Amino acid sequence: MRIVISAWIFLALCSFSAAFDPLDPTGNITIRWDIMSWTADGYVASVTMNNFQMYRHIQAPGWTLGWTWAKKEVIWSMVGAQTTEQGDCSKFKANVPHCCKKTPTVVDLLPGVPYNQQFSNCCKGGVVASWGQDPSAAVSAFQVSVGLAGTSNRTVKLPKNFTLLGPGPGYTCGPAKVVPSTAFLTPDRRRKTQALMTWNVTCTYSQFLASKHPSCCVSFSSFYNETITACPTCACGCENKNKCVKSDSKLLSVVGVNTPKKDNSPLLQCTRHMCPVRVHWHVKQNYKDYWRAKVAVTNFNYRMNYTQWTLVVQHPNLNNVTQVFSFNYKPLVPYGSINDTGMFYGMKFFNDLLMEAGPTGNVQSEVLLQKDQNTFTFKQGWAFPRKVYFNGEECMLPPPEAYPFLPNSARKNLAGPLTLLVSLVMFLLF
């Protein structure tokens, strides 16, 4: 019995730690249901999805939201979103509901839908920006009219078993919890109204649940060593090794080869690391009071364009960034006093789109950092990042012993006095 309890506690702790991101400890997606009015057999609710994650966004093909009704509710209509299946509505004769499924699955509408089908913050194809990159675009919403449900705060039963795909797996949603009703301001901001009832659902992300392998890797190089430290072999798993394509393959000239599949399966360029994305950090130059690093992100997936991409780097010298060239930069300070993490992302309409694998499938920038003479050094790989994330996924770094090392001139300098000392002792002995 003790073994069973211990195993259960261990699994619970592992699940909690897997969903905890030390660089974004409060990051989550909060789904808020606001009942705006009661109807004859239910209610009309506004459902708002806020992405409070600093650097993890939801990219195309967008989010998918699901839940289980507590009773026998149906969805009469929706604005700004739709369910993927109607279900069995054969018992309804006159007005047929939009969805009769016990477990509806909801997706966002695509841009350009008719105006009468739109709702505020809807119709972006399910794409939601990260909070750190663009708070105004880190929200998605729709309206739902629910029938065969409760018609008061006491009789309404909250949906359960919420699921969220963003666009793939990785999110775990907690139970719905009733919270104080949301307050709203009228357009002239002179009157405040509030929802009749509000409940929240909080979803957190775990890279461990999303995939058993990383989705990116990191390579290093420097001006003081000719060695280029490549990504580890099979850093992202080699399951797709038999399906990869060489960069000079004739298959790449076939029409439609870059079209994404419904299951989002990648078409990777054949590499040692077999990662969709590689981040390269090059220590470029050394000045008296400054040093410069070059950052390059390369896409090896022929079926994926990365829109609104983000790159997060943890390095102790990011507390003294002087200038970032051709990327936007924002410090991330989750713990207040520790400023060693920053987010890089593309400039709008310039390089905020990382194209599919090929000649244009890369973006790059340089970073100028001011030295702190008390901590700065090129020894023992200090100039290389401690952690790297691309689109919220932690990338695999090379092992520390493989980092480009500083030519050990210090040891040569120490060898001179040591040799003289040994020679002097030998001379005195003889």
Side-chain angles (χ1 to χ4, degrees):
M1 187 66 182
R2 287 183 178 179
I3 296 175
V4 174
I5 295 174
S6 300
W8 184 86
I9 293 173
F10 175 76
L11 290 173
L13 290 173
C14 287
S15 300
F16 174 78
S17 61
F20 176 76
D21 187 346
L23 299 186
D24 189 16
T26 60
N28 67 76
I29 291 181
T30 300
I31 303 166
R32 189 182 74 235
W33 287 57
D34 293 309
I35 295 182
M36 307 305 295
S37 62
W38 302 110
T39 61
D41 68 339
Y43 57 87
V44 176
S46 170
V47 182
T48 306
M49 182 185 303
N50 288 290
N51 184 9
F52 294 118
Q53 298 175 111
M54 292 302 294
Y55 49 80
R56 184 178 293 108
H57 68 289
I58 298 177
Q59 61 186 15
W63 55 262
T64 301
L65 179 65
W67 62 83
T68 301
W69 290 118
K71 298 193 289 185
K72 297 182 179 181
E73 293 92 336
V74 297
I75 298 176
W76 283 116
S77 63
M78 299 189 76
V79 182
Q82 64 182 5
T83 59
T84 57
E85 296 182 43
Q86 184 183 33
D88 182 9
C89 296
S90 57
K91 67 179 181 180
F92 294 90
K93 304 302 180 183
N95 296 328
V96 179
H98 175 80
C99 179
C100 300
K101 287 182 68 68
K102 178 76 171 179
T103 56
T105 301
V106 178
V107 294
D108 193 14
L109 297 181
L110 298 174
V113 297
Y115 184 75
N116 62 351
Q117 297 180 26
Q118 296 183 24
F119 192 68
S120 60
N121 294 310
C122 85
C123 314
K124 297 179 287 187
V127 175
V128 183
S130 63
W131 185 262
Q133 191 171 3
D134 186 359
S136 65
V139 59
S140 185
F142 60 89
Q143 187 182 78
V144 58
S145 177
V146 182
L148 303 184
T151 56
S152 70
N153 293 39
R154 293 184 178 181
T155 57
V156 165
K157 297 295 183 182
L158 276 57
K160 55 187 179 180
N161 301 332
F162 280 86
T163 59
L164 176 65
L165 299 178
Y171 285 96
T172 302
C173 300
K177 295 182 180 180
V178 176
V179 296
S181 296
T182 305
F184 303 94
L185 284 175
T186 55
D188 60 5
R189 306 186 69 83
R190 299 178 63 188
R191 172 177 162 78
K192 182 184 292 186
T193 60
Q194 70 177 44
L196 303 177
M197 184 179 181
T198 299
W199 61 80
N200 282 350
V201 177
T202 302
C203 303
T204 54
Y205 184 82
S206 166
Q207 186 171 343
F208 176 77
L209 295 176
S211 175
K212 62 180 181 179
H213 297 299
S215 59
C216 53
C217 64
V218 184
S219 57
F220 293 141
S221 62
S222 66
F223 70 90
Y224 53 76
N225 193 314
E226 294 181 355
T227 302
I228 297 177
T229 302
C231 287
T233 302
C234 292
C236 299
C238 281
E239 285 83 353
N240 294 316
K241 194 76 174 179
N242 297 329
K243 303 175 184 178
C244 66
V245 179
K246 294 183 178 180
S247 58
D248 58 352
S249 172
K250 294 182 179 180
L251 178 65
L252 299 177
S253 60
V254 176
V255 176
V257 69
N258 299 117
T259 304
K261 301 293 184 181
K262 287 186 178 180
D263 59 357
N264 287 327
S265 59
L267 179 62
L268 299 182
Q269 185 181 123
C270 295
T271 58
R272 288 176 62 253
H273 51 77
M274 290 303 296
C275 288
V277 173
R278 182 192 67 197
V279 179
H280 186 74
W281 180 278
H282 174 67
V283 181
K284 187 176 181 180
Q285 284 179 300
N286 182 31
Y287 309 104
K288 180 181 179 182
D289 298 317
Y290 300 89
W291 64 288
R292 183 188 294 253
K294 184 176 181 178
V295 185
V297 184
T298 305
N299 186 3
F300 292 97
N301 189 351
Y302 288 102
R303 289 181 184 154
M304 176 67 76
N305 291 333
Y306 293 96
T307 58
Q308 299 178 344
W309 58 267
T310 60
L311 177 68
V312 173
V313 176
Q314 185 181 43
H315 189 283
N317 211 159
L318 288 179
N319 63 349
N320 232 338
V321 174
T322 302
Q323 189 173 359
V324 177
F325 304 88
S326 73
F327 283 176
N328 288 317
Y329 177 77
K330 182 175 184 177
L332 300 178
V333 193
Y335 302 105
S337 59
I338 304 175
N339 180 16
D340 64 351
T341 308
M343 178 176 69
F344 301 88
Y345 55 101
M347 295 181 176
K348 199 170 182 64
F349 305 122
F350 177 58
N351 57 4
D352 61 337
L353 173 64
L354 176 59
M355 296 292 289
E356 71 270 2
T360 59
N362 69 89
V363 290
Q364 52 189 334
S365 178
E366 294 188 5
V367 188
L368 186 65
L369 305 108
Q370 187 173 4
K371 296 178 180 178
D372 181 347
Q373 300 300 337
N374 295 322
T375 58
F376 175 81
T377 180
F378 283 133
K379 296 179 180 179
Q380 299 177 338
W382 184 91
F384 299 105
R386 286 17 175 200
K387 284 188 177 183
V388 175
Y389 290 67
F390 179 79
N391 277 359
E393 302 287 336
E394 186 171 1
C395 305
M396 177 174 283
L397 274 67
E401 62 270 16
Y403 287 17
F405 60 87
L406 186 68
N408 212 345
S409 58
R411 288 190 178 179
K412 293 179 181 180
N413 293 336
L414 287 173
L418 184 60
T419 304
L420 288 174
L421 181 61
V422 173
S423 300
L424 180 60
V425 171
M426 294 294 291
F427 174 76
L428 291 175
L429 289 174
F430 288 98

